[in-house]
Amino acid sequence: MDTPVFFVFLFIHIVSLITGFGAVIAIDFSGVLWMLKKLPLKTVAQIAEVTQRLIWIGWVGLVLSGIGLITLKGFIDNLTWIKLFFVAMLGLNGIFLHFIKKATDRLGDVNDLPPNLVFKTGLASTISQLGWWGALSIGFVHRHIWHYISGPKNPWIYMVAIIVLIALAAVIGNAVTRKTSLPPQV
């Protein structure tokens, strides 16, 4: 299995992981600094402008090299199905974050976001971290502990549970944040 082609795909996979996940960490950390009032929202938006491209480059590199790695492996075990779910979730979440960024850009040069937009940003960042760390952990386990893991017996249950939890968080969060409003600015 460890042919020269495998190592080329693995190298691209690792570089893509560093590029994409590194950019995610950078933008999420700048978001935390904004929440702590250490950075203005405008700076976070500028950082997001750069990191958004790097995240997509990393994600696409991971997907393409992952296809090569799975092809060389010759099969998809149940844990890999969960990893593929995380990767797909990250792609969909990236599209959601793109719309959040557009909504934030439309607000202009403000430093406070409406509660609903803060919630959506927090939810999307949480989904992002879950997806990146989940896929990374599964990839590490497969490469360094076991190449084939038979469990979990039914990966679809875990995927559906994650979707249900995210949907519940979205519904509850939207309901709560729509009822609140920002105080008038002076």
Side-chain angles (χ1 to χ4, degrees):
M1 175 151 153
D2 291 348
T3 64
V5 174
F6 168 81
F7 286 109
V8 169
F9 282 127
L10 185 60
F11 177 79
I12 294 168
H13 211 64
I14 291 169
V15 169
S16 298
L17 173 68
I18 292 166
T19 303
F21 194 31
V24 166
I25 296 295
I27 188 57
D28 285 356
F29 186 68
S30 67
V32 168
L33 291 175
W34 169 75
M35 288 173 40
L36 296 173
K37 309 246 184 259
K38 303 283 183 186
L39 276 181
L41 187 59
K42 183 177 181 177
T43 303
V44 176
Q46 291 169 337
I47 294 169
E49 192 67 37
V50 174
T51 57
Q52 185 176 22
R53 290 184 193 103
L54 291 173
I55 293 166
W56 281 113
I57 289 168
W59 185 82
V60 168
L62 282 166
V63 168
L64 295 177
S65 61
I67 290 170
L69 290 169
I70 287 173
T71 302
L72 289 173
K73 187 175 180 179
F75 62 92
I76 300 175
D77 60 40
N78 287 343
L79 199 55
T80 302
W81 280 115
I82 296 173
K83 180 179 179 180
L84 294 173
F85 165 76
F86 282 137
V87 171
M89 182 178 74
L90 286 169
L92 293 172
N93 191 54
I95 294 167
F96 179 55
L97 276 162
H98 177 73
F99 288 112
I100 291 171
K101 185 178 176 315
K102 283 185 160 213
T104 304
D105 291 345
R106 281 193 298 271
L107 292 175
D109 194 18
V110 299
N111 211 31
D112 289 321
L113 295 177
N116 193 261
L117 203 49
V118 172
F119 167 74
K120 287 178 181 177
T121 303
L123 179 64
S125 295
T126 301
I127 292 168
S128 175
Q129 289 295 320
L130 172 68
W132 283 98
W133 282 108
L136 173 67
S137 299
I138 292 169
F140 177 80
V141 165
H142 266 145
R143 179 68 188 141
H144 296 290
I145 298 174
W146 299 295
H147 288 297
Y148 176 75
I149 300 172
S150 60
K153 291 190 188 299
N154 189 347
W156 309 104
I157 291 172
Y158 295 94
M159 293 181 236
V160 169
I162 291 169
I163 291 169
V164 167
L165 288 173
I166 291 170
L168 279 172
V171 168
I172 293 168
N174 277 324
V176 169
T177 57
R178 284 191 181 168
K179 290 181 181 178
T180 62
S181 63
L182 285 175
Q185 294 184 358
V186 180

